[in-house]
Amino acid sequence: MNIPQDAVKLPTERSPRCPFDPPAGLAGLRERPVRRMLFPDGHLGWLVTGHAQVRAVLADPRFSSRHELGHYPLADIGTLRPAPPGTLTAMDAPEHTRFRRLLVGRFTVRRMRQLTDRLVEICGDHLDAMEQHGSPTDLVAAYAQPVPALMICELLGVPYADREAFQRHISVLSGVDTSVEDQYAAYQAMIDYLAGLVVAKRAAPTDDVLSELTASDLTDTELAGVATFLLGAGFRHTTMNMLSLGTYALLSHPEQAALLRAEPELAAGTVEELLRYLTIAHTGARYAIADVELDGELVRAGETVAISLAAANRDPDKYSDPDRLDVRRQTSGQLAFGQGIHQCLGQQLARTELRVALPALFARFPDLRLAVPAEEVPLRQGTDIYGVQRLPVAW
């Protein structure tokens, strides 16, 4: 294989000194927003860093999402396998269309508003528990992890008696210190549990998303797969990491936190800006199924295109002064939830949770602060979802 001298490797590590910025080196790649990239497994593909170019890839059906067609951009993990049934992010039309049509109506803004009262209650309960525990505490374990986990239980209709065990499995799955064997065991336990829950919902439906889906043409296996996918998309991939890392960012920019405290109506804009500024789902990939000209470069069928959402959301051609956190910014078009037919199905759920949970936290603890020096906050490095492992806070 003839490797061009200007082919780059994807920077992945964020600096503990600048934990909210994209990995060092990405900014310098924006001069050429589409360029050759050498993947960890030796594949010569492409890296896209510009906002307009990333949008173009995500919206083009000539770029597939099927895992088995391409190469993983973050590590050499061998040949990718087809995703389990129900994994919407790894499907193309028409299979994707079939699932998406069934699910999109379950995650409307209206439904999220209906869940808000319950969300306020859940947040209040955990803030009460934090207060009773006393300062300091780990915000991830006390607040950022259990709040979205319980909201997923509400949506899927997990019985109250099962929720403690359900959350234990989630804790193992989301932990960075747990072994691969333990994570696999927890994942299999979740699949087995959700498969049983599907059978129970078919027999006795209740008022929840999973029960509604039992009236569709999805098989039990597909329904269990969808439930597992929703668990990942609605919990691990968004709110837990955004809530903890977003708090860390606001505590590190006290003038921005002060604005949110003084003007709670800034909550929606603050969430959009944090989504842009942090971009925790920082890297994705698409797989060319036809020759495509992209920004003057010819991407050939069979090549993998890595897309840097983190770089795209800091593109100065799209956002002025993009490396500055500004909760008053009119943030439109940010790509933290993707674009096109695979735009995150649970984005309204994530927004609703963050818009309630962040202001509630800062209102309850007006003098909230880090309990350790900023450089001692352990980061979640080397994974496709960025965040913090723990966030010790005091008040």
Side-chain angles (χ1 to χ4, degrees):
M1 179 175 59
N2 185 21
I3 301 174
Q5 290 186 345
D6 59 351
V8 299
K9 295 183 178 180
L10 178 67
T12 58
E13 293 291 308
R14 302 201 194 195
S15 167
R17 291 178 295 178
C18 304
F20 315 117
D21 291 340
L26 268 179
L29 301 180
R30 290 200 196 100
E31 295 176 4
R32 284 176 52 197
V34 179
R35 64 172 65 216
R36 279 299 198 179
M37 172 180 157
L38 185 62
F39 284 64
D41 66 355
H43 174 72
L44 184 61
W46 299 87
L47 173 63
V48 182
T49 54
H51 187 278
Q53 293 79 11
V54 166
R55 280 180 61 97
V57 171
L58 293 176
D60 193 329
R62 294 173 294 177
F63 291 106
S64 173
S65 295
R66 291 168 52 200
H67 292 172
E68 69 272 22
L69 298 181
H71 303 259
Y72 188 58
L74 298 178
D76 181 3
I77 59 175
T79 303
L80 296 177
R81 298 178 180 178
T87 307
L88 271 74
T89 51
M91 298 177 184
D92 295 336
E95 183 185 22
H96 174 271
T97 307
R98 172 178 170 243
F99 280 84
R100 181 91 183 189
R101 283 176 177 168
L102 288 172
L103 289 167
V104 69
R106 323 293 177 187
F107 290 87
T108 61
V109 174
R110 178 175 173 272
R111 185 168 204 151
M112 295 308 108
R113 286 173 180 162
Q114 292 173 342
L115 286 169
T116 298
D117 288 345
R118 180 65 181 130
L119 175 58
V120 169
E121 183 181 350
I122 289 172
C123 289
D125 289 345
H126 284 82
L127 292 171
D128 289 345
M130 281 178 60
E131 204 161 17
Q132 291 168 10
H133 174 277
S135 174
T137 194
D138 173 20
L139 190 77
V140 174
Y143 194 60
Q145 185 182 86
V147 168
L150 286 172
M151 289 303 295
I152 284 294
C153 288
E154 294 284 329
L155 278 171
L156 294 181
V158 175
Y160 282 93
D162 297 343
R163 294 188 179 190
E164 185 176 342
F166 192 86
Q167 288 191 80
R168 283 200 302 270
H169 294 317
I170 289 175
S171 296
V172 173
L173 284 170
S174 61
V176 294
D177 297 327
T178 52
S179 68
V180 173
E181 292 77 12
D182 287 344
Q183 288 196 349
Y184 179 80
Y187 179 73
Q188 190 60 51
M190 289 297 305
I191 291 176
D192 293 343
Y193 173 79
L194 292 169
L197 187 60
V198 166
V199 174
K201 296 296 182 183
R202 283 201 189 277
T206 50
D207 185 17
D208 53 73
V209 168
L210 201 54
S211 292
E212 292 175 6
L213 290 173
T214 60
S216 72
D217 65 351
L218 295 181
T219 67
D220 285 358
T221 300
E222 289 172 332
L223 275 172
V226 166
T228 305
F229 168 74
L230 293 177
L231 170 70
F235 170 64
R236 295 179 67 212
H237 289 187
T238 52
T239 317
M240 183 191 79
N241 290 289
M242 273 302 306
L243 185 50
S244 52
L245 189 65
T247 300
Y248 182 20
L250 288 169
L251 293 178
S252 301
H253 297 80
E255 75 290 350
Q256 300 298 308
L259 285 172
L260 179 60
R261 289 191 184 100
E263 304 176 53
E265 63 273 17
L266 289 176
T270 297
V271 167
E272 294 304 305
E273 173 67 348
L274 287 171
L275 288 165
R276 180 200 70 83
Y277 183 71
L278 299 173
T279 315
I280 58 170
H282 47 83
T283 306
R286 292 292 187 269
Y287 318 110
I289 55 176
D291 291 355
V292 183
E293 185 176 337
L294 182 64
D295 207 52
E297 301 284 357
L298 180 61
V299 179
R300 295 196 177 277
E303 293 183 322
T304 297
V305 176
I307 48 178
S308 176
L309 298 172
N313 274 340
R314 296 288 189 98
D315 189 341
D317 289 340
K318 175 64 177 178
Y319 302 105
S320 62
D321 198 6
D323 295 325
R324 179 170 63 91
L325 177 64
D326 179 6
V327 299
R328 293 190 184 277
R329 186 192 300 269
Q330 297 300 309
T331 306
S332 62
Q334 58 85 7
L335 297 172
F337 291 118
Q339 182 66 30
I341 66 169
H342 288 290
Q343 192 170 39
C344 179
L345 186 70
Q347 61 181 292
Q348 297 304 338
L349 172 61
R351 285 187 169 104
T352 300
E353 290 176 333
L354 291 166
R355 288 171 183 176
V356 171
L358 274 173
L361 173 66
F362 281 91
R364 177 67 68 93
F365 302 110
D367 57 348
L368 190 72
R369 62 189 182 278
L370 292 177
V372 298
E375 61 272 16
E376 293 182 13
V377 174
L379 305 175
R380 298 173 62 94
Q381 299 272 28
T383 65
D384 56 347
I385 304 296
Y386 180 65
V388 296
Q389 298 179 38
R390 296 176 297 279
L391 188 67
V393 294
W395 55 90

